[in-house]
């Protein structure tokens, strides 16, 4: 019989409704695993054990009444960038350690409405700025496959928690790869929805169009089901997509049909190339897709290098706009100060031009790709990297260069607004997870779930677990 933590969220929900377990038992089981493993992994910044057990008791009462939402009593975790009304939200920064938001993020309200029980807030880099997770509150998040290596960022704690079986699934957010990067580094499934698919309300803003919330899971069906929970616009959203006509859970059960899939492994950045593990994963995925009956075609990387400096203007302007009192600036990490300083030098004209350039350029790219249904690339150019690798020099410019060496692919789909997913299809000779990325046209999240589910069925990964989570 499977251990409780080996069940995905849907299976846990089914076990609850069948009376095979209780929410209290599920929550206690996962809290025990957090006690045993979270500190070594740097997975959680805050564990809300008492609150979770109180909510589990309420969940069991609702289940006994027989009219409870789909995921009543199932554990989940919330990224510590995401506002939670009753729990501190540090945003990975010591200057925000005691900040308790006045309201929930809309996604938290939706998660609670679906019946999930949050076990706490997962680790993230300061203000979610980097593609690796480290901060001055609890330190780095580590991949359970090799705890000397970083879990990736910025949803690193969430990915480590799911991979290690501390929770069956977790909420993350992705502004430049922050769901897909740690999904690849931790050997799980991560899905970045289309722009406008998930509301940033009530206090968040989708001003740049780069960031979106989404799921980190072990199975495609869990990711589809969690996106069904989240995919509801809020009044006042500036880029809303309507509720999906067909639930994503249904899409994940559909066959995708024969697709034309374009693939490329070259990056859009001069001097940055994928390593041998990334190429091996990419080639194997292409072969697998062909074996499933798809037409896989090699094309040049369609995105121009000129996007990178414009993305940096938008990225740095966002962090420069975070309202912090001057006296805390010296307490911020070196990288945060660098990006805030860089953003502060950008004029309104430069920001406007950068946003217009990204929109016009990616629109042209997408228009040129209309004859394809999906796109295959590596997720990352390199395997999970040693904890000290990114910032060992202490120079934020060198840190940024290494981040580009690590993740030159993911941010392109934030710029274009396309849905994209990292699939854990390959492991290196050292036993490190190596993801591949599948993407689709904007708004085609359902079709992408169908393709990902087909790939998962042909090459299952959910039973492959790091020894730490056994």
């Amino acid at each position: 019989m499977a251990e409780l933590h080996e069940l995905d969220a849907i299976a846990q929900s089914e076990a609850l409704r069948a009376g095979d377990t209780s929410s209290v038992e599920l929550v206690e089981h996962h809290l025990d695993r957090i006690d045993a493993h979270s500190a070594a992994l740097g997975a959680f910044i805050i564990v809300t054990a008492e609150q979770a057990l109180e909510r589990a008791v309420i969940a069991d009462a609702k289940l006994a009444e027989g009219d409870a939402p789909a995921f009543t009593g199932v554990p989940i975790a919330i990224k510590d960038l995401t506002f939670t009304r009753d729990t501190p939200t540090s945003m990975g920064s010591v200057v925000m350690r005691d900040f308790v938001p006045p309201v929930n993020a809309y996604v938290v309200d939706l998660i609670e409405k679906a019946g999930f029980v949050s076990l706490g807030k997962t680790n993230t880099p300061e203000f979610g700025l980097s593609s690796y997770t480290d901060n001055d509150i609890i330190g780095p998040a580590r991949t359970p496959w090799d705890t000397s290596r970083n879990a990736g960022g910025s949803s690193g704690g969430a990915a480590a928690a799911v991979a290690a079986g501390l929770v069956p699934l977790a909420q993350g957010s992705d502004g430049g790869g922050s769901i897909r990067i740690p999904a690849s580094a931790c050997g799980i499934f991560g899905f970045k929805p289309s722009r406008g698919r998930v509301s940033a309300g009530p206090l968040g803003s989708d001003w740049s169009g780069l960031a979106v919330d989404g799921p980190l899971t072990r199975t495609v069906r869990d990711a589809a089901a969690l996106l069904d929970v989240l995919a509801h616009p809020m009044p006042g959203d500036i880029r809303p997509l309507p509720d999906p006509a067909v639930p994503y859970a249904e899409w994940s059960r559909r066959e995708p049909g024969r697709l034309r899939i374009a693939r490329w492994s070259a990056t859009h950045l001069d001097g940055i190339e994928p390593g041998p593990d990334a190429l091996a994963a990419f080639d194997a995925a292409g072969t697998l897709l062909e074996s499933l009956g798809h037409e896989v075609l090699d094309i040049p990387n369609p995105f121009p290098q000129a996007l990178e400096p414009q993305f940096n203007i938008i990225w740095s302007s966002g962090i420069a706009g975070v309202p912090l009192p001057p006296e805390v600036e010296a307490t911020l990490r070196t990288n945060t100060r660098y990006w805030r300083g860089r953003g502060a030098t950008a004029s309104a004209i430069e920001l406007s031009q950068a946003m217009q350039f990204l929109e016009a350029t990616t629109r042209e790219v997408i228009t040129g790709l209309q004859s394809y249904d999906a796109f295959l690339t590596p997720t990352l150019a390199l395997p999970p990297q040693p904890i000290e690798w990114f910032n060992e020099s202490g120079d934020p410019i060198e840190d940024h260069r290494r981040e580009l060496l690590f993740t030159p692919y993911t941010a392109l789909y934030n710029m274009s607004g396309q849905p994209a997913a990292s699939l854990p299809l390959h492991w290196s000779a050292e036993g490190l997870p190596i993801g591949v990325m599948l993407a689709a046209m904007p708004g085609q999240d359902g079709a992408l779930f169908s393709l990902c589910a087909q790939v998962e069925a042909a090459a299952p990964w959910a039973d492959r677990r790091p020894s730490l989570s056994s």
Side-chain angles (χ1 to χ4, degrees), residues 122-433:
T122 56
N123 199 4
T124 187
E126 191 166 56
F127 299 109
L129 273 177
S130 60
S131 59
Y132 60 96
T133 296
D134 195 2
N135 58 47
D136 294 333
I137 299 177
I138 66 166
R142 303 167 186 268
T143 175
W145 298 90
D146 180 348
T147 56
S148 72
R149 295 173 184 260
N150 200 277
S154 63
S155 306
V162 173
L166 311 188
V167 284
L169 77 179
Q171 170 267 344
S173 55
D174 191 318
S178 290
I179 287 173
R180 293 156 290 152
I181 295 165
S184 180
C186 293
I188 62 171
F189 183 72
F191 191 95
K192 182 200 83 70
S194 292
R195 178 177 294 143
R197 180 67 283 166
V198 179
S199 174
L203 297 183
S205 172
D206 188 27
W207 70 275
S208 70
L210 295 176
V212 63
D213 290 272
L216 292 122
T217 63
R218 294 199 58 80
T219 62
V220 174
R221 70 174 190 168
D222 268 6
L226 182 51
L227 189 55
D228 280 328
V229 169
L230 303 180
H232 306 290
M234 187 177 190
D237 289 345
I238 62 174
R239 297 183 179 89
L241 293 177
D243 284 7
V246 176
Y248 294 125
E250 172 61 28
W251 277 104
S252 72
R253 294 188 289 268
R254 291 184 175 184
E255 288 296 319
R258 188 171 191 266
L259 305 179
R260 278 172 54 87
I261 301 175
R263 73 170 198 164
W264 60 87
S265 61
T267 79
H268 69 299
L269 301 172
D270 290 343
I272 296 181
E273 299 297 336
D277 291 315
L279 286 175
F282 169 78
D283 287 337
T287 300
L288 176 60
L289 289 166
E290 288 179 332
S291 75
L292 293 171
H294 301 298
E295 183 182 10
V296 180
L297 302 156
D298 289 288
I299 68 170
N301 189 325
F303 293 92
Q305 177 159 309
L307 286 166
E308 176 66 19
Q310 304 306 315
F311 175 87
N312 289 335
I313 290 172
I314 299 169
W315 189 256
S316 61
S317 296
I319 183 59
V322 175
L324 295 173
E327 61 268 22
V328 306
E329 289 288 337
T331 310
L332 299 173
R333 287 171 70 92
T334 301
N335 273 12
T336 307
R337 295 198 306 271
Y338 167 75
W339 284 105
R340 279 174 66 81
R342 187 165 169 176
T345 66
S347 69
I349 293 174
E350 289 172 322
L351 177 58
S352 173
Q353 289 174 338
M355 293 181 68
Q356 292 178 64
F357 182 86
L358 256 62
E359 182 176 347
T361 303
T362 56
R363 182 189 291 118
E364 181 181 8
V365 170
I366 291 169
T367 299
L369 295 173
Q370 291 294 305
S371 63
Y372 302 105
D373 303 299
F375 311 96
L376 169 67
T377 71
T379 303
L380 301 172
L382 299 174
Q385 291 298 297
I387 295 295
E388 66 279 0
W389 183 74
F390 291 98
N391 56 16
E392 63 186 347
S393 71
D395 178 3
I397 296 175
E398 174 62 16
D399 180 292
H400 180 52
R401 187 186 76 86
R402 293 191 182 194
E403 290 193 62
L404 291 178
L405 291 173
F406 181 56
T407 178
Y409 301 100
T410 55
L412 293 169
Y413 293 131
N414 298 86
M415 299 183 218
S416 67
Q418 294 170 252
S422 182
L423 291 73
L425 290 180
H426 188 77
W427 270 256
S428 73
E430 297 174 285
L432 297 172

Side-chain angles (χ1 to χ4, degrees), residues 16 21-29 31 48-64 71-75 115-119:
L16 285 166
T21 186
S22 68
S23 181
V24 168
E25 183 181 14
L26 265 181
V27 167
E28 287 179 338
H29 179 86
L31 287 173
T48 54
E50 183 177 346
Q51 179 191 88
L53 287 168
E54 290 173 355
R55 293 185 176 182
V57 171
I58 295 170
D60 282 331
K62 290 182 177 179
L63 287 163
F71 288 101
T72 297
V74 175
F116 285 107
V117 175
S118 173
L119 305 190

Side-chain angles (χ1 to χ4, degrees), residues 4-26:
L4 289 174
H5 63 272
E6 294 176 345
L7 303 175
D8 71 359
I10 290 175
Q12 289 188 18
S13 176
E14 291 169 347
L16 285 166
R17 292 176 186 279
D20 295 334
T21 186
S22 68
S23 181
V24 168
E25 183 181 14
L26 265 181

Side-chain angles (χ1 to χ4, degrees), residues 86-103:
D86 51 0
T87 305
T89 299
S90 75
M91 301 187 184
S93 177
V94 292
V95 306
M96 302 290 290
R97 189 198 301 264
D98 298 321
F99 171 62
V100 180
V103 295

